[in-house]
């Protein structure tokens, strides 16, 4: 930059230039250039097609791989036309091999390597051997990172953000004193610094000077670097292209930054992620071309491709919980020309039939989305026929890792005995609800590391026609799932669910708000929702408390099929009228996992200890 050239360079940068000039003879070369073929003596030009040449590299495994890949002699002998290479040329490559090998070893930090060659010729075979003694590896004696430009000025003035960034760059420097020096690590460390500076708003950051001063006789390297931050870029106007049935206000509502704030890479990535998750667009691209002249108000261009105004989907599925099913869904992105999405769903299954309509507003400032929904369904579970009706109005807010949902809900559950049609329960309720889901996972669909936590709360009043009385109730339900990588290709999944209905024992609560366990994603080895308090006919009618825990270990079965895993697991849990009467049921077994791009397909064979039976479970997807 011209401004930097006019002022006197920093003292450290001047020192770096002097060090480079005075220590150049001691600096390591990255790699020796390929040896060009030279003219051979006439007596060496004899055709070698009747002589076999071999090369054995005697070196530690990692270095052997390096030399076999990049050494000219090794590459020549690996070609199918070796027999046509003149003998003189092969002899010349043999003579050049030690020097070239030492240059290659220097890129891995070995500056005092001893390399020699041996040859054994029995007339038909010439066996060459490269003897490598790498010696000690050079280590970093010191690493010093300095700054110039606006970041340095701001840090010297004590601006907290600039001071914190300078400290973060230095603390994250990945080649500190004591670490082994290699050319790859040196290049990688420099790239990481520039990536961090650019991600924090210094989009044109670069190096004013870098030097690795290697003292070969001492096997150490001193690293000195000066980074020129360039200007701090700030958000300017956001231009959106590609809109038709989505209003620009909906796109703007998902912004969590404003003009004048530092233009950080993570803010753009989060903005793009929110636009994708809005389900309004098929693709989203955010473009920004750094221009120092516009650094104080850098324009950002958002290019979107909207989803079709209407979409219809036909789905087929099957699970051991509810059997086969057919699903028909229809999505309208702007119903009746209002900025609302309408999703209609009809599901027909052997034991489960559902119909629902969900209306969700396009994003609003906050960003929030309003919602209105209604559904009706009938489910057969553990000897009962349950007819449910529900209407809901509320609002949601989703951040990068946190989802929140607030809503007011009316619901009714009519429960009949399957065998004789007698009414077991007919209760409705009006309640206020809050759902909170937090995720910190390494992958949204196929996590192997991280934590997810969900909490549901409700406070309402029930209305019943049964012998129990109407009254006030509360409901709490939480679920924690932990994923861990254990090493040796072993992975663990642990989950814990605890729930309770808070009310007087004689206050009726709708069947859908009570707890039942059993089945896939609960306690395997038992039928779907078969565990819990039972009526006189032996069917689970639901409990007011529940606790379920599970531990699973899994690993890939075959190296050539890394997506196919084997697993072993143990589940324990139940539902009960109260905690004193709670007693966990145990299930355990083995299973297969196929980690497909759309989620995990699970097949489990589980033994239910309480019922003394083996049960097969299968499902697609992942539940948090």
């Amino acid at each position: 930059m011209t401004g930097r050239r006019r002022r006197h360079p920093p003292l450290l940068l001047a020192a770096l230039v002097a060090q480079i000039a005075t220590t150049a003879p001691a600096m390591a070369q990255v790699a020796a250039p390929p040896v060009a073929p030279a003219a051979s003596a006439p007596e060496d030009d004899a055709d070698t097609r009747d002589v076999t040449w071999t090369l054995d590299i005697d070196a530690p495994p990692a270095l052997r791989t390096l030399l076999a890949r990049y050494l000219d002699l090794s590459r020549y002998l690996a070609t199918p036309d070796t027999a046509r290479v003149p003998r003189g040329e092969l002899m010349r490559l043999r003579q050049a091999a030690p020097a070239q090998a030492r240059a290659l070893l220097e890129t891995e930090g070995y500056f005092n390597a001893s390399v020699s060659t041996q040859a054994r010729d029995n007339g038909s075979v010439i066996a060459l051997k490269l003897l490598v003694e790498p010696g000690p590896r050079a280590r970093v004696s010191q690493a010093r990172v300095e700054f110039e430009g606006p970041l340095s000025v701001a840090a010297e003035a004590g601006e907290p953000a600039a001071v914190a960034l300078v400290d973060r760059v230095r603390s994250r420097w990945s080649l500190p004193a004591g670490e082994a020096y290699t050319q790859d690590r040196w290049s990688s460390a420099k790239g990481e610094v520039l990536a961090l500076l650019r991600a924090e708003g210094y989009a044109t950051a670069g190096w004013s000077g870098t030097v690795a001063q290697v003292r070969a006789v001492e096997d150490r390297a001193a690293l000195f670097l000066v980074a020129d931050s360039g200007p701090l870029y700030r958000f300017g106007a956001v231009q959106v292209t590609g809109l038709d049935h989505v209003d620009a206000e909906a796109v703007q509502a998902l912004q969590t930054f404003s003009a004048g704030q530092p233009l950080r890479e993570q803010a753009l990535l989060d903005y793009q992620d929110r636009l994708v998750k809005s389900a309004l667009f098929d693709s989203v691209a955010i473009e920004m071309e750094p221009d120092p002249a516009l650094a104080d108000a850098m324009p950002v261009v958002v290019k979107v491709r909207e989803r079709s105004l209407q979409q219809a989907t036909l789905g087929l599925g099957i699970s051991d919980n509810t059997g086969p099913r057919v699903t028909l869904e229809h999505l309208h992105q702007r119903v009746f020309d209002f900025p609302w999405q309408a999703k209609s769903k009809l599901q027909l299954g052997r034991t489960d039939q559902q119909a629902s309509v969900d209306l969700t507003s396009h994003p609003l400032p906050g960003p929030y989305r309003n919602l209105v929904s209604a559904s009706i369904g009938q489910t057969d579970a553990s000897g009962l026929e349950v007819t449910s009706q529900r209407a809901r109005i509320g609002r949601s807010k989703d951040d990068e890792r946190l989802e929140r949902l607030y809503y007011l809900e009316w619901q009714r559950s009519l429960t009949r005995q399957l065998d004789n049609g007698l009414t077991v329960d007919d209760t409705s309720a009006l309640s206020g609800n809050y759902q909170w889901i937090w995720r910190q996972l390494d992958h949204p669909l196929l996590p192997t590391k991280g934590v997810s936590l969900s909490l549901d709360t409700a406070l309402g009043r029930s209305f019943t026609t049964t012998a129990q009385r109407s009254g006030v109730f509360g409901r709490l339900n939480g679920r924690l799932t932990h994923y861990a990588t254990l090493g040796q290709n072993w992975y663990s999944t642990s989950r814990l669910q605890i729930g309770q209905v808070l009310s007087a024992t004689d206050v009726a609560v709708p069947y859908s708000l009570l707890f039942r366990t059993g089945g896939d994603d609960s306690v395997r080895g038992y039928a779907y929702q078969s565990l819990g308090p039972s009526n006189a006919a032996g069917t689970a009618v639901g409990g007011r408390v529940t606790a379920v825990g599970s531990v699973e270990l899994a690993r890939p079965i075959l190296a050539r099929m890394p997506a196919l895993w084997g697993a072993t697991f143990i589940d324990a849990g139940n539902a009960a009228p109260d905690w004193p009467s709670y007693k966990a049921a145990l299930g355990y077994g083995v299973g297969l996992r196929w980690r497909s791009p759309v989620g995990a397909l699970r097949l489990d064979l589980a033994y239910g200890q309480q019922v003394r039976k083996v049960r097969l479970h299968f499902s697609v997807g992942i539940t948090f």
Side-chain angles (χ1 to χ4, degrees):
M1 297 177 64
T2 56
R4 178 165 53 79
R5 290 172 181 164
R6 284 198 296 269
R7 66 173 184 267
H8 293 293
L11 181 60
L12 177 60
L13 185 55
L16 294 180
V17 174
Q19 288 170 347
I20 294 173
T22 59
T23 63
M27 299 299 294
Q29 298 298 316
V30 174
V35 180
S40 305
E43 61 269 24
D44 292 334
D45 285 341
D47 201 323
T48 60
R49 62 169 51 92
D50 295 330
V51 179
T52 300
W53 290 70
T54 65
L55 175 64
D56 178 27
I57 301 176
D58 185 358
L63 300 181
R64 186 186 307 124
T65 302
L66 172 73
L67 297 174
R69 179 176 298 176
Y70 296 110
L71 197 66
D72 284 344
L73 179 59
S74 176
R75 292 190 294 110
Y76 266 84
L77 294 179
T79 62
D81 294 333
T82 302
R84 298 186 180 277
V85 179
R87 177 188 179 94
E89 176 65 10
L90 290 173
M91 295 300 293
R92 189 192 64 79
L93 291 174
R94 171 199 169 184
Q95 294 172 357
Q100 190 183 27
R102 282 190 289 270
L104 289 169
L105 293 173
E106 287 179 356
T107 67
E108 293 298 312
Y110 298 98
F111 295 94
N112 290 294
S114 174
V115 184
S116 60
T117 59
Q118 295 178 351
R120 188 173 65 253
D121 186 352
N122 63 8
S124 60
V125 177
I126 299 179
L128 302 178
K129 189 171 186 178
L130 189 73
L131 302 172
V132 178
E133 291 291 340
R137 196 175 211 172
R139 294 193 173 273
V140 178
S141 59
Q142 63 173 309
R144 185 172 177 181
V145 183
E146 296 296 336
F147 300 87
E148 67 174 14
L151 175 60
S152 176
V153 174
E156 290 174 358
E159 293 185 13
V163 172
L165 180 55
V166 167
D167 291 343
R168 184 148 53 114
V169 169
R170 288 172 174 162
S171 65
R172 290 189 179 183
W173 173 253
S174 61
L175 196 54
E179 291 292 314
Y181 172 85
T182 70
Q183 190 67 33
D184 282 346
R185 293 190 65 185
W186 169 237
S187 299
S188 176
K190 292 187 290 184
E192 290 168 2
V193 169
L194 294 185
L196 178 56
L197 293 175
R198 292 167 183 172
E200 290 300 312
Y202 296 92
T204 51
W207 292 112
S208 295
T210 66
V211 60
Q213 182 180 354
V214 178
R215 296 191 179 275
V217 295
E218 301 175 6
D219 295 307
R220 65 184 180 91
L223 310 180
F224 304 95
L225 310 96
V226 180
D228 183 352
S229 68
L232 175 61
Y233 285 75
R234 298 181 180 277
F235 280 105
V238 177
Q239 178 185 357
V240 184
T241 63
L243 294 179
D244 181 20
H245 50 262
V246 177
D247 297 336
E249 291 78 8
V251 179
Q252 295 168 358
L254 294 173
Q255 292 181 206
T256 56
F257 53 82
S258 56
Q261 291 183 337
L263 200 161
R264 294 187 170 89
E265 183 180 82
Q266 190 60 48
L268 291 177
L269 293 175
D270 292 342
Y271 182 36
Q272 184 179 35
D273 188 53
R274 284 190 294 273
L275 289 170
V276 171
K277 288 182 177 179
S278 70
L280 295 171
F281 308 106
D282 281 330
S283 66
V284 178
I286 298 182
E287 298 178 357
M288 188 270 295
E289 294 293 336
D291 183 350
L294 302 174
D296 289 336
M298 189 65 211
V300 175
V301 178
V302 180
K303 296 181 178 180
V304 299
R305 188 173 75 245
E306 295 179 337
R307 289 188 175 182
S308 302
L309 184 61
Q310 297 190 59
Q311 294 174 306
T313 305
L314 176 65
L316 301 175
I318 185 171
S319 73
D320 69 295
N321 288 342
T322 58
R325 63 183 180 274
V326 177
T327 303
L328 178 62
E329 295 186 15
H330 178 264
L331 179 65
H332 199 301
Q333 296 284 19
R334 192 179 179 90
V335 62
F336 301 121
D337 203 30
F338 287 102
W340 284 71
Q341 289 175 306
K343 183 178 181 180
S344 305
K345 180 178 179 180
L346 177 64
Q347 178 174 301
L348 302 176
R350 186 183 63 192
T351 61
D352 185 25
Q353 298 84 40
Q354 304 283 339
S356 64
V357 176
D358 296 291
L359 300 175
T360 306
S361 71
H362 291 186
L364 302 170
Y368 289 96
R369 303 186 77 167
N370 294 329
L371 61 94
V372 178
S373 66
S375 68
I376 184 171
Q378 181 175 297
T379 303
D380 298 344
S382 188
L384 296 176
E385 179 188 86
V386 182
T387 301
S388 301
Q389 301 168 350
R390 175 180 60 81
R392 178 183 296 181
I393 182 171
R395 150 172 288 201
S396 66
K397 181 176 182 179
D398 295 350
D399 296 329
E400 284 68 43
R401 303 189 184 280
L402 188 61
E403 299 177 11
R404 285 157 288 188
L405 176 62
Y406 323 77
Y407 60 93
L408 183 67
E409 182 178 72
W410 171 85
Q411 60 178 299
R412 178 195 178 198
S413 292
L414 174 61
T415 307
R416 295 187 178 92
Q417 200 75 38
L418 264 178
D419 54 0
N420 55 26
L422 293 177
T423 298
V424 176
D425 181 52
D426 186 359
T427 302
S428 60
L430 183 65
S431 61
N433 298 261
Y434 174 61
Q435 294 180 1
W436 183 92
I437 302 175
W438 176 78
R439 298 183 180 95
Q440 179 76 41
L441 302 171
D442 62 344
H443 192 282
L445 291 178
L446 302 171
T448 58
K449 185 184 297 184
V451 177
S452 68
L453 176 63
S454 65
L455 298 173
D456 301 336
T457 63
L459 179 63
R461 178 178 175 81
S462 65
F463 307 90
T464 184
T465 61
T466 65
Q468 290 184 303
R469 66 183 179 91
S470 305
V472 176
F473 69 92
R475 188 178 189 271
L476 300 172
N477 186 40
R479 177 174 173 134
L480 174 67
T481 307
H482 179 262
Y483 303 89
T485 301
L486 305 179
Q488 300 297 319
N489 279 334
W490 281 99
Y491 302 89
S492 71
T493 303
S494 306
R495 57 180 166 86
L496 175 66
Q497 177 190 356
I498 298 177
Q500 182 170 358
V501 173
L502 305 171
S503 70
T505 56
D506 61 342
V507 170
V509 177
Y511 178 86
S512 56
L513 293 178
L514 297 175
F515 297 104
R516 291 155 301 282
T517 61
D520 183 68
D521 201 45
S522 180
V523 184
R524 285 162 285 190
Y526 302 86
Y528 177 56
Q529 294 191 355
S530 63
L531 293 174
S534 302
N535 59 14
T539 57
V541 296
R544 296 184 178 233
V545 301
T546 188
V548 178
S550 175
V551 176
E552 178 173 299
L553 295 176
R555 64 167 297 167
I557 298 175
L558 301 172
R560 66 178 183 272
M561 298 180 63
L564 183 63
W565 290 14
T568 181
F569 58 86
I570 181 170
D571 301 337
N574 211 332
D578 49 45
W579 291 117
S581 61
Y582 175 86
K583 183 178 181 181
L586 195 64
Y588 43 85
V590 295
L592 291 174
R593 309 284 180 266
W594 178 47
R595 296 169 63 81
S596 75
V598 297
L601 185 149
R602 301 185 300 178
L603 182 66
D604 293 318
L605 189 64
Y607 177 76
Q609 185 168 288
Q610 184 170 291
V611 296
R612 298 183 179 180
K613 292 182 179 180
V614 174
R615 191 175 188 89
L616 184 66
H617 299 274
F618 52 92
S619 66
V620 178
I622 188 166
T623 303
F624 296 111

